[in-house]
């Protein structure tokens, strides 16, 4: 189950924007100790989510590079519980212009 800070369709840029908001609050110096700790915890969760999104993107790029950029589609987020599979390339490689 996805939490508020960990939405399945969340974009990396959204995570970074939310993390920047947390940092601004913390740097503002207007929060109590308890609120500061709560914001810090949110920040740590956002960093972890951002790292996970970057790792997914890295895996996707690696899969695309391993298959020489052929006519294959690699989803950004594989279905949970299912192994990541790459669609087979077209059998006729003579159509490649280079």
């Amino acid at each position: 189950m996805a939490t508020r800070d960990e939405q399945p369709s969340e974009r990396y840029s959204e995570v970074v924007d939310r993390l920047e908001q947390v940092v601004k609050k913390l740097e503002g110096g207007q929060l109590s100790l308890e609120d500061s700790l709560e914001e810090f915890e949110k920040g740590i969760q956002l960093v972890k989510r951002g790292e996970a999104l970057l790792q997914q993107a890295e895996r996707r790029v690696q899969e695309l590079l391993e298959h020489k950029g052929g006519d294959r589609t690699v989803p950004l987020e594989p279905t949970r519980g299912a192994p990541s599979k790459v669609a087979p390339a077209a059998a006729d490689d003579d159509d490649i212009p280079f």
Side-chain angles (χ1 to χ4, degrees), residues 46-69:
L46 288 167
V47 166
K48 288 179 181 180
R49 180 64 183 145
E51 287 174 345
L53 290 170
L54 285 175
Q55 288 174 352
Q56 287 175 352
E58 259 184 54
R59 283 191 302 270
R60 182 176 180 202
V61 167
Q62 188 61 39
E63 284 186 46
L64 290 169
L65 290 175
E66 286 174 1
H67 297 289
K68 300 177 182 128

Side-chain angles (χ1 to χ4, degrees), residues 9-18 46-47 49-54:
S9 62
E10 195 168 37
R11 297 168 92 49
Y12 180 76
S13 60
E14 294 169 345
V15 173
V16 171
D17 289 343
R18 290 174 49 212
L46 288 167
V47 166
R49 180 64 183 145
E51 287 174 345
L53 290 170
L54 285 175

